Amino acid sequence: MEKKIILTIDDEPHILELLEYNLAKAGYKVLRAETGEKGLEVLRSVQVDLVLLDCMLPGMDGMEVLREIRADLQLSLLPVMMLTAKGDEIDKVLGLELGADDYLSKPFSLRELEARVKALLRRSALTHRGTQPKEQFQLGGLVVNHEAREVTLQGTPVILSRKEYELLHMLITHPNQVFTREQLLEQIWGYDYFGETRTVDVHIRSLRKKLEKNPEQPEYIRTVRGIGYKFVK
């Protein structure tokens, strides 16, 4: 079985060494980049399974790198975990809105890091097994092609992060069914996800910005007050 490849992008040498040593010991192949620009070069030349991305980088910062990843059709579904020394909630929300799959603040527990990496890779593998049925869902100008994992709106491709896509697919395949935030968190992020239900709200808000004519008065993804969300057909 081939080792999963993890790219670590961080400007602190001791953090890169710490990550490489512990992740390699856990059975992963680890690549390193000291800047966002170098990280993007690696991503466009090597098939990587997961990225650990520091928010604070010289030159192109982590948020800019994340934007580039999510805007690239070849990389848009790549799992990305943000690492940061900041405790600022604004940075966390911004990272999730841009499409980060997970978020971990420094200093972090290596055991927790390994658990989150394992969970993200497991979720990624489940969506790439090729056993998914051939499905296409259409509602008005919104089309979700699950076989190709593509979303278009009025014929224009919509770039979604992995979690945004999985969340949309879960909702659109169960039209008019109400899901609680806890159910969506469990189904999309998995049992081992250490986040909060607010993560679901952030991703729903991002989906609405990309899919709805008026995100404040959504046509597709409706809020069921006090419970959660549903996709209206």
Side-chain angles (χ1 to χ4, degrees):
M1 187 180 199
E2 290 187 9
K3 290 184 178 180
K4 295 291 186 181
I5 300 176
I6 298 176
L7 172 63
T8 59
I9 307 177
D10 199 302
D11 64 324
E12 299 181 64
H14 71 283
I15 293 292
L16 288 173
E17 291 172 8
L18 180 70
L19 291 172
E20 182 174 17
Y21 175 77
N22 285 278
L23 291 173
K25 190 167 67 172
Y28 302 108
K29 180 177 180 181
V30 184
L31 306 179
R32 296 166 49 165
E34 295 78 23
T35 67
E37 292 85 350
K38 289 182 180 178
L40 289 172
E41 286 180 15
V42 173
L43 288 174
R44 286 163 180 156
S45 60
V46 179
Q47 187 171 340
V48 170
D49 297 292
L50 183 145
V51 177
L52 300 180
L53 175 61
D54 185 37
C55 283
M56 302 296 291
L57 293 169
M60 178 182 284
D61 68 19
M63 296 301 181
E64 291 179 89
V65 175
L66 182 59
R67 284 192 186 95
E68 290 286 326
I69 291 173
R70 293 303 177 229
D72 188 317
L73 287 174
Q74 301 300 317
L75 302 173
S76 62
L77 295 179
L78 181 65
V80 177
M81 183 190 299
M82 302 295 292
L83 304 177
T84 182
K86 288 187 176 182
D88 195 337
E89 194 69 19
I90 294 176
D91 288 332
K92 181 174 182 177
V93 171
L94 178 58
L96 291 171
E97 287 185 333
L98 290 174
D101 295 283
D102 202 352
Y103 196 100
L104 191 60
S105 297
K106 300 175 184 177
F108 46 79
S109 157
L110 290 171
R111 180 176 295 180
E112 182 179 0
L113 171 68
E114 289 178 20
R116 291 194 186 202
V117 165
K118 185 177 180 181
L120 279 178
L121 288 172
R122 183 169 63 248
R123 299 293 296 177
S124 176
L126 286 173
T127 59
H128 280 84
R129 281 184 178 172
T131 58
Q132 301 286 356
K134 296 181 179 180
E135 300 168 329
Q136 178 163 302
F137 301 90
Q138 183 169 0
L139 185 62
L142 176 63
V143 179
V144 178
N145 185 329
H146 192 54
E147 183 181 18
R149 294 184 68 84
E150 293 177 348
V151 178
T152 58
L153 186 62
Q154 308 299 339
T156 301
V158 179
I159 304 300
L160 301 181
S161 71
R162 175 185 301 278
K163 290 294 181 274
E164 287 170 350
Y165 177 84
E166 292 177 359
L167 187 55
L168 174 61
H169 187 258
M170 172 64 68
L171 292 170
I172 202 172
T173 53
H174 299 81
N176 302 316
Q177 178 177 334
V178 180
F179 288 92
T180 67
R181 290 170 175 82
E182 290 78 9
Q183 286 175 321
L184 291 171
L185 190 67
E186 179 181 302
Q187 290 294 321
I188 305 303
W189 281 264
Y191 289 103
D192 294 330
Y193 185 71
F194 290 79
E196 303 172 348
T197 54
R198 181 169 41 185
T199 300
V200 176
D201 297 331
V202 170
H203 282 75
I204 289 288
R205 185 162 64 245
S206 180
L207 272 176
R208 284 172 170 166
K209 287 179 180 178
K210 295 178 179 182
L211 301 178
E212 305 280 3
K213 292 180 181 178
N214 183 355
E216 299 302 319
Q217 296 180 334
E219 175 184 355
Y220 300 124
I221 304 173
R222 304 278 182 84
T223 300
V224 181
R225 191 175 299 277
I227 302 178
Y229 299 100
K230 67 177 180 179
F231 191 96
V232 177
K233 185 173 181 180

